[in-house]
């Protein structure tokens, strides 16, 4: 008779299916890339000042703070015959499509209900509503996607890192296609129906790009949900599980007591892929955070510092190219041409960044095995810090060149320097998209928590910094004379602090949970 371990190995989801599951990241990220490259300039074209543009982006982190833990909890215990995660993936994808259509047609809808060409308050309201719905939908979609990969990889750390690397790779592919779409300014010619009386060339290009995003998302969502069958959640079976996770990630005290309960379990129970019932509700989230073990708090801290660094650049990178590098201004009829030239060149830079992101994603699992996740994360943050300082150097050089030769395109060496900064940032972005999730998924699986809710908990460390940046970056930049440099330099400092924290606080190497649990069963006291 075959051993239990060999049967488990046969029943594992194959790598091919993991790749197919991860492919949905390309569709999701295609839409994000369009948001990041086109929407900040577009909201200013609608009439929202630069200092207030960052407040539009508050909807993403706020909805993520609320939606992801709720979706995570209910996807952990969903009893649908179609599986726990896939109903939420399908629902989130449908909601994304609705939101994209609202955003793309906001100018037309505003014109229909009374806007003029000089004043578009109704279009702004419709746009903001669509933007909020889009971010709510993206947060509904992304958490279950990550959790589904964690479900299919179980306790295998290598497969988990590999699955997250695939996810990051498809994010890179989505970025490449999305930023390439944003960099092209002739979509209105290919889709002439998008150009209307109320929707000019820039608006028609945005509308066309989002329609392409809808097609991309439909395709990748279909591939993902048909890759492998989920085991439907059975509350009657789970009710009799020996271990019950009362928080998304057990504290050291709870983990110790759980190991005592499991003292008589078989030695190969570490290979069991069943996930204990997660009973943590959103109303208990604060209590769950209070009981988190120290290593998980360190992961959250480094994640928060990393996203404080990233978000100003992700929010205003193409705006930086249009304003500081090309010396343009979207509200000025003359300088708007230079501004949008800079925006399109920024999209080219983001496309190069995504190529590096994809190549780096292929190497992350190998590099983490050689150096350790904490050192890889720290090195990535130091690279980020240097690149953000580099944006200030390039901006000063561009200002000097504009003073010597006004109303001309920046010199080639400045443009190439900007593109180099964009490209180099692809490597730390690959780390940000994979290493924190892999560490969290591995830790959660080993201590018996719900993967959906654990992703929601980690997401709190992503969205909380985004709230702070969205509220503070616009006024912070205005306090120092406008532009994007103050927020970028603040990000450089946060990235450096995150790198230091990764080296000093994160475990090196990651703990061997199997060995640790078995030693606890042998000795009465836990290993310090």
């Amino acid at each position: 008779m075959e051993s239990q371990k060999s049967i488990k190995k046969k029943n594992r989801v194959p790598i091919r299916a993991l790749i197919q599951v991860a492919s949905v990241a390309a569709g999701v990220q295609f839409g994000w890339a369009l948001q990041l490259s086109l929407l900040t300039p577009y909201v200013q074209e609608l009439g929202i000042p630069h200092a207030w543009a960052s407040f539009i982006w508050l909807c993403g982190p706020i909805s993520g703070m609320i939606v992801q833990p709720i979706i995570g909890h209910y996807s952990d215990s969903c009893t649908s015959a179609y599986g726990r995660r896939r109903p939420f993936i399908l629902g989130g994808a449908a909601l994304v499509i609705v939101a994209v259509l609202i955003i793309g047609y906001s100018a037309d809808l505003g014109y229909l209900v009374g806007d003029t060409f000089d004043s578009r308050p109704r279009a702004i309201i419709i746009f903001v509503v669509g933007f909020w719905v889009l971010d709510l939908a993206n947060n509904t979609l992304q958490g279950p996607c990550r959790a589904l990969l964690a479900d299919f990889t179980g306790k295998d750390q290598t497969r988990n890192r590999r699955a997250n690397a695939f996810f990051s790779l498809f994010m890179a592919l989505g970025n490449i296609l999305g930023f390439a779409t944003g960099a092209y300014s002739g979509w209105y010619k290919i889709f002439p129906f998008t150009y209307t009386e109320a929707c000019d060339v820039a608006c028609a290009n945005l509308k066309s790009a989002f329609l392409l995003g809808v097609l991309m998302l439909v395709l990748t969502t279909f591939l993902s949900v048909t890759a492998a069958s989920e085991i439907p959640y059975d509350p009657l079976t789970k009710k009799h599980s020996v271990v019950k996770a009362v928080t998304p990630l057990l504290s050291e005290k709870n983990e110790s007591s759980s190991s005592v309960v499991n003292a008589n379990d078989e030695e190969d129970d570490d290979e069991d892929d069943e996930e204990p019932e997660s009973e943590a509700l959103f109303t208990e989230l604060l209590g769950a955070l209070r009981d988190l073990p120290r290593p998980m708090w360190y992961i959250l801290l480094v994640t928060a510092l990393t996203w404080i660094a990233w978000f100003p650049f992700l929010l205003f990178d193409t705006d930086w190219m249009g304003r500081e590098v090309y010396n343009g201004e979207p509200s000025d009829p003359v300088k708007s041409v230079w501004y949008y030239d800079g925006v399109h060149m920024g999209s080219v830079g983001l496309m190069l960044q995504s190529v590096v992101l994809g190549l780096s994603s292929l190497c992350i699992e190998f590099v983490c095995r050689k150096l350790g996740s904490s050192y890889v994360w720290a090195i990535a943050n130091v690279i980020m810090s240097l690149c953000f300082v580099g944006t200030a150097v390039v901006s000063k050089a561009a200002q000097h060149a504009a003073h010597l030769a006004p109303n001309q395109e920046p010199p080639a060496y400045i443009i190439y320097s900007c593109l180099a900064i964009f490209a180099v940032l692809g490597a730390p972005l690959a780390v940000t998209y994979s290493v924190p999730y892999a560490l969290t998924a591995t830790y959660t699986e080993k201590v018996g928590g719900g993967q959906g809710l654990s992703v929601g908990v980690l997401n709190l460390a992503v969205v909380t910094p985004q709230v702070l940046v969205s509220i503070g970056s616009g006024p912070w930049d205005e306090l120092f004379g406008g532009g994007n440099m103050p927020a970028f330099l603040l990000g450089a400092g946060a990235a450096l602090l995150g790198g230091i924290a990764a080296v000093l606080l994160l475990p090196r190497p990651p703990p061997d949970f199997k060995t640790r649990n078995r030693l606890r069963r042998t000795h009465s006291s836990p290993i310090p």
Side-chain angles (χ1 to χ4, degrees):
M1 181 181 289
E2 291 182 300
S3 67
Q4 179 80 7
K5 186 172 182 178
S6 64
I7 293 174
K8 293 285 185 183
K9 189 171 182 179
K10 279 186 177 182
N11 292 334
R12 289 193 309 180
V13 175
I15 292 295
R16 181 186 67 257
L18 290 179
I19 294 173
Q20 194 172 328
V21 170
S23 66
V24 71
V28 175
Q29 202 62 26
F30 187 97
W32 275 117
L34 294 177
Q35 282 184 261
L36 294 172
S37 62
L38 297 179
L39 288 191
T40 295
Y42 184 63
V43 297
Q44 295 178 73
E45 183 180 323
L46 288 176
I48 301 174
H50 176 268
W52 295 94
S54 62
F55 288 101
I56 300 295
W57 291 84
L58 270 175
C59 53
I62 290 177
S63 63
M65 189 179 299
I66 298 172
V67 171
Q68 280 220 15
I70 294 176
I71 295 298
H73 164 70
Y74 284 108
S75 71
D76 281 341
S77 55
C78 177
T79 57
S80 169
Y82 196 56
R84 292 188 295 173
R85 317 296 182 188
R86 291 189 290 180
F88 293 93
I89 293 174
L90 289 172
L95 201 57
V96 167
I97 293 171
V98 172
V100 161
L101 294 176
I102 293 174
I103 291 174
Y105 285 87
S106 58
D108 297 296
L109 294 173
Y111 184 71
L112 286 176
V113 294
D115 277 352
T116 65
F117 297 120
D118 297 325
S119 177
R120 293 186 277 190
R122 296 168 184 83
I124 291 173
I125 294 173
I126 294 170
F127 173 88
V128 171
V129 170
F131 201 103
W132 276 75
V133 174
L134 179 60
D135 279 315
L136 184 149
N138 277 327
N139 281 296
T140 301
L141 180 59
Q142 288 188 90
C145 291
R146 292 276 192 180
L148 183 60
L149 282 177
D151 291 341
F152 284 157
T153 55
K155 297 181 175 69
D156 191 327
Q157 294 187 35
T158 300
R159 285 170 62 83
N160 186 275
R161 286 197 301 264
R162 194 171 296 166
N164 276 279
F166 291 145
F167 198 89
S168 181
L169 177 62
F170 277 106
M171 291 178 79
L173 178 61
N175 275 337
I176 292 170
L177 296 175
F179 291 134
T181 301
Y184 181 59
S185 59
W187 289 115
Y188 72 99
K189 298 177 183 178
I190 300 175
F191 303 102
F193 64 90
T194 59
Y195 185 87
T196 64
E197 187 177 6
C199 189
D200 60 10
V201 171
C203 172
N205 280 325
L206 180 141
K207 189 190 301 181
S208 302
F210 273 122
L211 291 177
L212 290 173
V214 168
L215 296 177
M216 181 77 168
L217 182 61
V218 169
L219 174 62
T220 56
T221 300
F222 174 78
L223 291 175
S224 182
V225 298
T226 57
S229 298
E230 291 186 79
I231 300 175
Y233 178 78
D234 186 353
L236 295 178
T237 302
K238 295 295 181 181
K239 185 176 180 180
H240 296 95
S241 297
V242 177
V243 182
K244 299 180 93 173
V246 296
T247 63
L249 294 172
L250 298 178
S251 65
E252 293 295 337
K253 183 171 88 172
N254 290 335
E255 185 186 347
S256 178
S257 63
S258 297
S259 64
V260 173
V261 173
N262 283 290
N264 296 321
D265 287 353
E266 295 180 356
E267 281 295 312
D268 60 357
D269 65 353
D270 289 305
E271 300 297 330
D272 188 359
D273 290 328
E274 287 191 340
E275 182 181 282
E277 180 182 5
S278 175
E279 298 178 348
L281 297 170
F282 180 70
T283 54
E284 299 168 355
L285 186 58
L286 292 179
L289 289 171
R290 180 195 61 204
D291 294 331
L292 282 178
R294 188 174 298 173
M296 191 59 205
W297 275 114
Y298 293 156
I299 294 173
L300 296 181
L301 173 62
V302 179
T303 300
L305 289 171
T306 300
W307 277 101
I308 288 175
W310 268 122
F311 201 59
F313 186 77
L314 295 177
L315 186 62
F316 290 116
D317 44 18
T318 55
D319 184 72
W320 165 65
M321 286 291 291
R323 288 178 183 275
E324 275 90 346
V325 178
Y326 275 74
N327 197 34
E329 179 62 44
S331 59
D332 189 308
V334 177
K335 292 187 174 181
S336 63
V337 175
W338 298 108
Y339 178 81
Y340 281 103
D341 284 345
V343 168
H344 290 307
M345 186 57 67
S347 295
V348 173
L350 290 170
M351 184 175 62
L352 295 175
Q353 180 185 102
S354 301
V355 172
V356 177
L357 166 63
L359 296 175
S360 302
S361 299
L362 298 174
C363 307
I364 284 179
E365 199 277 326
F366 172 79
V367 176
C368 284
R369 273 193 286 116
K370 294 297 182 182
L371 300 180
S373 298
S374 59
Y375 284 122
V376 171
W377 201 347
I379 292 170
N381 277 31
V382 172
I383 293 173
M384 286 168 55
S385 182
L386 293 175
C387 287
F388 293 154
V389 171
T391 62
V393 176
V394 171
S395 296
K396 287 293 183 183
Q399 289 177 9
H400 180 68
H403 179 72
L404 295 177
N407 298 324
Q408 293 187 20
E409 189 175 272
Y413 73 90
I414 291 179
I415 297 176
Y416 292 149
S417 298
C418 293
L419 295 179
I421 289 174
F422 275 102
V424 171
L425 282 170
L429 190 60
V431 174
T432 304
Y433 283 161
S434 59
V435 171
Y437 294 95
L439 287 175
T440 301
T442 300
Y443 194 87
T444 303
E445 185 67 33
K446 294 300 180 180
V447 300
Q451 291 290 354
L453 191 54
S454 70
V455 172
V457 171
L458 180 64
N459 193 59
L460 293 178
V462 176
V463 299
T464 302
Q466 292 180 13
V467 171
L468 297 176
V469 171
S470 295
I471 293 174
S473 62
W476 176 263
D477 289 341
E478 290 297 311
L479 182 64
F480 288 93
N484 298 299
M485 280 303 99
F488 285 9
L489 293 178
L490 179 65
L496 184 60
L497 288 177
I500 295 172
V503 171
L504 297 180
L505 300 178
L506 294 182
R508 299 181 306 276
D512 186 344
F513 294 96
K514 184 184 295 185
T515 303
R516 189 178 180 192
N517 286 338
R518 287 179 178 172
L519 286 173
R520 281 181 173 173
R521 295 169 188 170
T522 305
H523 303 284
S524 58
S525 58
I527 303 299

